[in-house]
Amino acid sequence: MTTVLGCIADDFTGATDLAGLLARSGVKVSLRMGVPGALPTATAPFEVVALKIRTIPVEQAVEQALQALDWLQAAGATRFFWKYCSTFDSTAEGNIGPVAEALMAALNTKQTIYCPAFPENGRSIFMGNLFVGQQPLAESSMKDHPLTPMRDSNLMRLLAPQVTQPTGLIDRLTVARGADAVSSGLKQLDKDGISHVVMDAVADDDLHVIATACRDMPLMTGGSAIAMPLPALFAADGLLAADAPRMTQPALGPSTVVLSGSCSAMTNKQVAAYTASGCATYRLDPLELATDGPGPAVAWITAQDLTKAPLIYATAKPDSVRAAQDKLGVQRAGEIVEQALADCAIAARDAGAQRFIIAGGETSGAVTQALGVDRLDIGTEIAPGVPWCFATSKGIPIALTLKSGNFGTESFFSDALSKLEPA
Ligand code: ADP
């Protein structure tokens, strides 16, 4: 069927988060890992192209986003969504603004919105400042992120060095006056030459107001939550048939592996909670990996009883991450760990694992790539924004969940295990 909304996500977990929220509507959502080589066939009403462009050089990010746009346009989409992290992960040289401007130019549109708010997960925006729970972004644990430390909370200020056109704000007071007020506010900003508009949103109702006002924009940008009202709005507008098919779970064996490369505060808690539950664990040390390679970890996972869902993790506290980065460099430390987790995933699959619980955005990208997964069908949600996904790897049906840094509660790994139907 013709695609109604074409989405481009800057990392894999962000893509599954978005796809999961869209799938809450019951409408079929298809997620492509990278820009598909072939022209679109058997497309879903909602298509999400997952890229891995959060921290790559700007020109490459723009090029890949434009290729994704071409593919989504070929699928029939006329409305597009640029998805980045709800904590606005980027540096001054980051890709959020440049990709938005490139998509705007290609779509011949002068204005777009920026709304990374995700109230259900504690991300809210007030007077253009992003909060994580009750803390401003720059005071949250995101200030210590290994690749994109966030040291400012003001989205206009974070965006300004990334774009060529002026930034502006529709504040909470306007949003509180409803969709018409938001539309008029956007028109006024457009007259004033403001192309990049940050949208305040502190609660789900705000997202609904904003989505209602912006649903016909050629391009919207944000976290996943601002897209959540779109299926119902498109259905009400008659763009979407109400009887789209639901996803079903394929038959899966019980063997499972948990792979964690995220160093976020929440993932640290999740690893601690899962370890305390008595499962077998193996800690990856970047410095040891740099000298010994991933062989010992691969040997360990191969020797495990995978029906007990063992855990391999590089997850560490900020001090320890910084120590590894000081010795190896940020990029190399990250790559060594991602490669080791990818190798362990392949070894686990070859040993019979059909269920993969993966923590970390970049980590998920590396693991899915190694498993040769190019398309995911969206299934049951485990935590807000984190669904189980179904795919094939080497012809074998597998389930994967791809959890980015701070998502889920402390019991996420065991929650994930219990959310999939038993074999
Ligand atoms: P998140 O979703 O929390 O941002 P990511 O997987 O996207 O997690 O990013 C974490 C990065 O940190 C990855 O590149 C990973 O390989 C790297 N990393 C993981 N553990 C360590 C460690 N102990 N020392 C240094 N870097 C690490």
Side-chain angles (χ1 to χ4, degrees):
M1 103 155 244
T2 303
T3 297
V4 179
L5 183 72
C7 307
I8 301 167
D10 72 348
D11 86 340
F12 290 119
T13 46
T16 54
D17 161 17
L18 172 63
L21 293 193
L22 291 168
R24 278 187 188 176
S25 64
V27 178
K28 182 168 180 185
V29 181
S30 158
L31 193 161
R32 319 280 173 156
M33 314 303 276
V35 182
L39 280 171
T41 52
T43 50
F46 290 87
E47 287 282 347
V48 181
V49 175
L51 300 177
K52 194 173 183 301
I53 60 172
R54 183 166 296 165
T55 54
I56 68 171
V58 168
E59 315 76 60
Q60 291 170 29
V62 164
E63 189 187 330
Q64 287 189 41
L66 290 175
Q67 284 168 358
L69 178 69
D70 278 350
W71 189 87
L72 291 164
Q73 283 180 314
T78 53
R79 292 167 179 75
F80 300 89
F81 190 81
W82 164 222
K83 155 76 176 78
Y84 38 82
C85 190
S86 65
T87 40
F88 212 73
D89 300 18
S90 57
T91 62
E93 294 77 41
N95 297 329
I96 294 177
V99 167
E101 284 197 329
L103 295 173
M104 287 163 78
L107 292 167
N108 203 15
T109 183
K110 281 187 8 235
Q111 195 180 52
T112 190
I113 61 157
Y114 294 78
C115 190
F118 194 161
E120 221 179 308
N121 272 343
R123 315 290 192 269
S124 55
I125 306 165
F126 185 66
M127 297 301 160
N129 290 279
L130 182 58
F131 289 80
V132 177
Q134 296 182 345
Q135 290 172 314
L137 176 66
E139 292 171 34
S140 75
S141 59
M142 284 304 297
K143 69 182 187 305
D144 297 316
H145 188 278
L147 305 178
T148 51
M150 301 307 290
R151 301 280 160 83
D152 193 350
S153 307
N154 183 290
L155 292 174
M156 284 87 76
R157 267 200 312 261
L158 286 166
L159 192 56
Q162 299 182 19
V163 291
T164 60
Q165 298 300 310
T167 61
L169 173 69
I170 296 283
D171 71 21
R172 177 68 174 65
L173 304 178
T174 305
V175 175
R177 289 181 10 241
D180 289 345
V182 170
S183 297
S184 321
L186 285 168
K187 277 204 194 91
Q188 187 54 51
L189 288 172
D190 192 34
K191 275 197 201 121
D192 298 342
I194 308 291
S195 298
H196 303 285
V197 186
V198 171
M199 309 296 285
D200 271 0
V202 298
D204 280 343
D205 285 352
D206 298 337
L207 296 179
H208 199 269
V209 166
I210 295 165
T212 303
C214 300
R215 68 189 190 276
D216 289 326
M217 277 184 152
L219 178 71
M220 289 169 68
T221 89
S224 52
I226 187 64
M228 196 163 42
L230 294 176
L233 291 167
F234 291 161
D237 289 345
L239 289 168
L240 193 64
D243 58 350
R246 274 187 178 273
M247 210 54 69
T248 53
Q249 182 181 320
L252 296 164
S255 293
T256 304
V257 65
V258 186
L259 301 160
S260 181
S262 158
C263 295
S264 74
M266 181 48 81
T267 307
N268 269 285
K269 287 186 193 160
Q270 289 162 342
V271 165
Y274 192 62
T275 303
S277 77
C279 68
T281 61
Y282 187 99
R283 190 177 71 84
L284 293 172
D285 176 345
L287 299 175
E288 279 170 22
L289 285 172
T291 50
D292 304 343
V298 167
W300 182 84
I301 193 66
T302 311
Q304 295 306 302
D305 176 357
L306 295 177
T307 63
K308 303 242 163 72
L311 162 71
I312 299 189
Y313 66 99
T315 305
K317 298 275 166 51
D319 283 355
S320 156
V321 171
R322 258 192 300 272
Q325 290 177 334
D326 286 348
K327 292 234 168 63
L328 300 169
V330 175
Q331 201 72 21
R332 187 156 132 76
E335 281 166 11
I336 286 178
V337 169
E338 288 170 32
Q339 187 57 49
L341 288 167
D343 288 352
C344 290
I346 292 174
R349 179 203 59 199
D350 293 345
Q354 285 186 274
R355 302 166 190 232
F356 296 80
I357 298 172
I358 305 160
E362 296 294 324
T363 307
S364 295
V367 169
T368 46
Q369 224 160 9
L371 291 174
V373 167
D374 60 7
R375 178 179 182 161
L376 293 169
D377 295 329
I378 307 307
T380 324
E381 206 171 22
I382 302 160
V386 198
W388 270 110
C389 305
F390 306 115
T392 55
S393 175
K394 243 186 166 180
I396 303 160
I398 60 168
L400 304 113
T401 181
L402 312 172
K403 183 202 82 78
S404 65
N406 285 308
F407 279 46
T409 60
E410 280 183 38
S411 56
F412 178 83
F413 297 149
S414 27
D415 293 348
L417 291 175
S418 59
K419 279 277 161 80
L420 265 195
E421 284 162 29

